[in-house]
Amino acid sequence: MEPCSVENLAILYQSSNFIVLNKHWDIRIDSKMWYEKVTVQSQLKHRFPGLSDPETYYGFRFCHQLDFSTSGALCVALSKAAAARAYTCFKERTATKVYLALLRGSVSKQQMMITHAIGKNTAEGMTHMMCTEETEGCENAKPCQTELIVLEHGMYRGEPVTKVILQPHTGRTHQLRVHCSAIGHPIVGDFTYSLKKDTDPYRMMLHAYYLRLPVEEELIEVTAPDPFVSMVDDNWVSLCTVCSLEETIQELKAQIILDAQEQQRALLECPTKNARKIQKKNTETEELLAVCQEWLAEWALE
């Protein structure tokens, strides 16, 4: 990607309800600090001044978060109703997010499910971090699941690294970064979870590659171009391909469709349960909107 600026905003998808952009690394979604001139919020206001909503704190409703250091697909809702529909996808776990990462070392297993519970680190000097339940001083650890699939083995600036797919099945703060560190393969360039040792790369190598939100009346499905290829970064050299990225994503899409069909069949086989679900959905509409607004406000405070 080109150097970050207010003018440089890459749009992956746009409709009357949503915008999905390709977030640059090392940029905040929003900020109250006067000296931080370039944020996703300022980029959106510059590109789409007419879409900014004065009723919101930052002018736009971000449907989910990406860390400051993480790049890739980020979805923005353009109305309260659209934000509520996006929130429903996350609440009902129908949203799919897939990340690409370069990890330190050679990951031996081709595929694994990482299940370390994650909580707040209360140790002195580390309260800005999350940690796994095995860590001394870990507070309020909650169950987490991250699926890891190895794509390629290679070298980054002469050091062994592994290119992987990471799919979070839960949504804890810093989940992917903590899980990768916990298995002994921290993300390349992750200064925080390498205990301040990984300072060499120009960025943290974590990228939100694929996003699928089956919102009501609209399917959002986008990929943000893979930055971990030699044509983009010649410090990365692939030595061995284990799985094809394209084929792996296609398999994932096929599984999503099968799961949706199975769920639909189950509902049709139990019409009483289906009717109750529809009734519950209708009665929760106003409540959902209120919860959604609170949820979005909490995201803005992080």
Side-chain angles (χ1 to χ4, degrees):
M1 296 172 70
E2 297 175 0
C4 188
S5 67
V6 172
E7 295 82 10
N8 182 19
L9 180 66
I11 302 299
L12 302 171
Y13 174 90
Q14 184 177 356
S15 70
S16 58
N17 297 309
F18 297 96
I19 292 173
V20 182
L21 56 96
N22 189 8
K23 177 187 171 294
H24 204 281
W25 68 88
D26 288 1
I27 179 175
R28 300 190 192 283
I29 290 177
D30 43 50
S31 176
K32 298 177 184 177
M33 304 302 179
W34 62 268
Y35 54 83
E36 291 191 282
K37 304 296 184 184
V38 182
T39 62
V40 175
Q41 168 214 13
S42 65
Q43 288 180 319
L44 285 167
K45 282 188 174 181
H46 179 81
R47 175 74 71 85
F48 306 107
L51 296 180
S52 179
D53 187 346
E55 291 185 9
T56 64
Y57 192 82
Y58 288 104
F60 292 89
R61 296 175 173 85
F62 298 101
C63 298
H64 56 110
Q65 280 280 25
L66 292 180
D67 288 346
F68 168 77
S69 303
T70 306
S71 60
L74 176 66
C75 185
V76 181
L78 299 179
S79 69
K80 288 182 181 178
R85 294 199 292 274
Y87 168 77
T88 300
C89 290
F90 287 101
K91 179 185 177 185
E92 297 183 352
R93 297 181 182 272
T94 59
T96 303
K97 295 191 290 182
V98 176
Y99 293 74
L100 295 176
L102 295 183
L103 307 187
R104 290 289 181 191
S106 181
V107 180
S108 57
K109 291 185 179 180
Q110 182 175 334
Q111 187 168 354
M112 70 176 80
M113 186 69 75
I114 309 171
T115 58
H116 297 279
I118 292 177
K120 184 73 176 174
N121 196 329
T122 61
E124 185 177 353
M126 295 186 177
T127 55
H128 62 293
M129 298 171 62
M130 306 299 286
C131 58
T132 58
E133 60 184 339
E134 301 88 0
T135 306
E136 185 177 352
C138 186
E139 184 178 273
N140 195 27
K142 296 180 180 179
C144 292
Q145 285 190 330
T146 300
E147 186 172 0
L148 182 153
I149 301 173
V150 171
L151 295 173
E152 300 173 63
H153 293 287
M155 307 288 285
Y156 192 86
R157 292 185 178 174
E159 297 290 333
V161 298
T162 306
K163 182 175 179 178
V164 301
I165 276 179
L166 298 171
Q167 184 181 357
H169 295 286
T170 49
R172 309 300 179 201
T173 302
H174 296 178
Q175 176 176 322
L176 302 182
R177 300 166 66 185
V178 174
H179 270 174
C180 290
S181 180
I183 64 170
H185 297 283
I187 297 171
V188 174
D190 190 346
F191 180 74
T192 299
Y193 290 99
S194 66
L195 300 179
K196 302 182 180 180
K197 295 177 182 177
D198 205 340
T199 59
D200 186 41
Y202 63 96
R203 60 161 296 182
M204 183 177 72
M205 304 301 179
L206 180 62
H207 179 72
Y209 176 71
Y210 173 76
L211 175 66
R212 186 181 193 273
L213 292 176
V215 295
E216 189 177 346
E217 300 178 358
E218 183 177 356
L219 172 62
I220 300 172
E221 189 174 39
V222 297
T223 57
D226 178 3
F228 308 137
V229 293
S230 57
M231 289 185 296
V232 176
D233 185 352
D234 59 11
N235 292 300
W236 155 248
V237 178
S238 176
L239 301 178
C240 171
T241 298
V242 178
C243 291
S244 162
L245 173 58
E246 291 75 17
E247 289 178 4
T248 304
I249 293 297
Q250 288 304 318
E251 290 173 4
L252 174 64
K253 291 180 181 180
Q255 187 60 53
I256 291 170
I257 293 171
L258 286 175
D259 291 344
Q261 290 173 343
E262 183 62 33
Q263 185 179 26
Q264 186 64 29
R265 264 196 303 272
L267 290 172
L268 290 173
E269 290 171 3
C270 188
T272 304
K273 182 179 179 181
N274 193 20
R276 287 175 182 170
K277 184 175 180 180
I278 292 172
Q279 182 181 11
K280 183 179 179 182
K281 182 178 179 180
N282 289 336
T283 56
E284 283 187 345
T285 301
E286 291 186 5
E287 179 186 352
L288 181 59
L289 282 170
V291 171
C292 179
Q293 290 179 53
E294 180 182 352
W295 174 75
L296 291 168
E298 288 175 356
W299 274 127
L301 292 172
E302 289 191 1

